[in-house]
Amino acid sequence: MSKRHHVVIIGSGFGGLFSAKALKHADVDITLIARTTHHLFQPLLYQVATGVLSEGEIAPATREILRHQKNVQVLLGLVDDVDLASQVVKWRFHEEYQETAYDSLIVATGAGQSYFGNDHFARFAPGMKTIDDALELRARIFNAFEVAEFTEDEAERRKLMTFVVVGAGPTGVEVAGQIRELAAATLRRDFRSIDPSSARVILVDGADQVLPPFGPKLGRATKKKLEQLGVEVQLKSIVTDIDEDGIEIKREDGSIDRIQCFCKVWAAGVKGSDLGQTLAEQSGAELDKAGRVKVAPDLTLPGHPEVFIIGDLMTFPDVPGMAQGAIQSGRHAAKIIAARVNGDEDPGPFKYFDKGSMATIAKYSGVVKMGPIQLTGFIAWLSWLFLHLLYIAGFKQRVTTLLSWTLSFVTNGRSQRVVTNQQLVGRLAIEELGAHSSGRLISGTVPGSPNTPETDNPNSLKE
């Protein structure tokens, strides 16, 4: 009996999940390797960060989604390397190392946050790419109000109640709008020493308009609505430094301003995952400035027709780094693999169909751009709700999300306001311990644990 064609998919985002589902009826065996157990609906992360939704509502278990697809095995692990010559994926779960051979490989590891060469900014201004990011930001946002409640120094209180969001793309606009609504509506009667509605929310970007991809008209409408909400929009302003107490901004005229603030949110820029660099070094493929791989017209890695790069890790003409780009590229890669296995005609080069862009500004207000159609206000907001509800994976998640939205929109309440110290400092603590710290923490071999010899170098994890 001949062995079936083996497809390995790296990543459980939109690209990885939709390519796996598109191969449901193909004569292949699929192994999906992802560093998380869930499929994340990333466009709604900002609602987790601001207490509207729980993480479970936007991140159903990948196994549950694919449980009826018998040709898929889901594995939890971090891919460290791909050996293109041997066609082997090298991955690990903490300190347990594995190798998985493939006949076809789909790389859908996405993109992370880019700080444009200033990676130290991340310590004080987390991004918005993962569940951990969103939970950390939730802790930072709500803790700012909590600390302000008992702080007697007025300057310190103003700093705590000043929120700066860097990046005026869809994520930045949505975060700024939600923080402002949270302060002005949800929290307005919850404190005794402070007035949450007096909180400053500042949106900063180096561009000359809000939502640049949406065009000038929608950009102006969005800026006007944000300002009506009380958000301070500062354009043509570039962040030059961030520290514990604030943010430094260079204005268009060259002057430098400093904003004292506790909570900073980074929503500007993306960079391809590290696996892109690994593949480029082995194949000679080019990378763009964001570290994304320049793929062939059929989405394959140049010189390696068995390897497909899809979603946010690829750079392809006129394909934006959005969910639709990942979904469509994942389906196209699956079509090519199925055609090869069946001996059918090759589907040819990838063609992206632009279904438009949309963003919410606040409750009952959004913007939509679909070709020549441009919508603002309530109709745009309803369109946003419908489309996002449609793309959330899992029936239970759709129902609970709809209920949470209804509660939030009708009452201004937010049910997800629990924060913990672990959410606040967990990322920084793991980074301080250094590489491979998770496995060592679990095994109890970190400095100071009973299983660690006293002679161990206390800084060995960093090394």
Side-chain angles (χ1 to χ4, degrees), residues 117-168:
N118 298 292
D119 290 347
H120 59 287
F121 287 0
R123 172 169 287 272
F124 309 106
M128 187 76 76
K129 293 296 181 183
T130 68
I131 289 290
D132 287 336
D133 291 340
L135 293 177
E136 179 182 348
L137 280 169
R138 183 197 290 176
R140 286 176 180 249
I141 292 167
F142 283 97
N143 279 341
F145 290 103
E146 295 295 337
V147 178
E149 172 75 356
F150 63 75
T151 299
E152 296 183 358
D153 182 84
E154 188 57 34
E156 183 68 14
R157 181 175 285 178
R158 283 197 301 271
K159 183 182 79 173
L160 287 163
M161 294 183 63
T162 299
F163 301 84
V164 177
V165 181
V166 182

Side-chain angles (χ1 to χ4, degrees), residues 6 8 10 31-34 73-83 87-102 436:
H6 187 208
V8 173
I10 307 175
T31 301
L32 190 152
I33 306 171
Q73 181 185 24
V74 179
L75 298 175
L76 175 63
L78 174 64
V79 174
D80 284 328
D81 194 12
V82 175
D83 187 334
Q87 295 190 193
V88 170
V89 174
K90 300 179 180 181
W91 57 282
R92 64 181 174 87
F93 178 75
H94 296 307
E95 303 304 311
E96 296 183 24
Y97 290 84
Q98 305 284 336
E99 293 188 358
T100 303
Y102 64 84
H436 297 260

Side-chain angles (χ1 to χ4, degrees), residues 47 99 116 130 181 185 197 208 259 285 304 330 371 376 437 445:
Q47 294 199 3
E99 293 188 358
F116 307 109
T130 68
E181 283 196 337
S197 65
D208 60 0
I259 301 173
H304 292 271
T376 61
S437 58
T445 57

Side-chain angles (χ1 to χ4, degrees), residues 18 30 71 86 93 109 130 134 157 203 208 235 247 261 279 329 331 333 362 377 385 388 408-409:
F18 277 81
I30 304 166
N71 65 341
S86 301
F93 178 75
T109 48
T130 68
R157 181 175 285 178
L203 181 64
D208 60 0
L235 300 174
I247 187 168
C261 59
L279 295 172
S329 61
R331 286 173 171 165
L385 285 182
H388 282 66
S408 178
F409 301 148

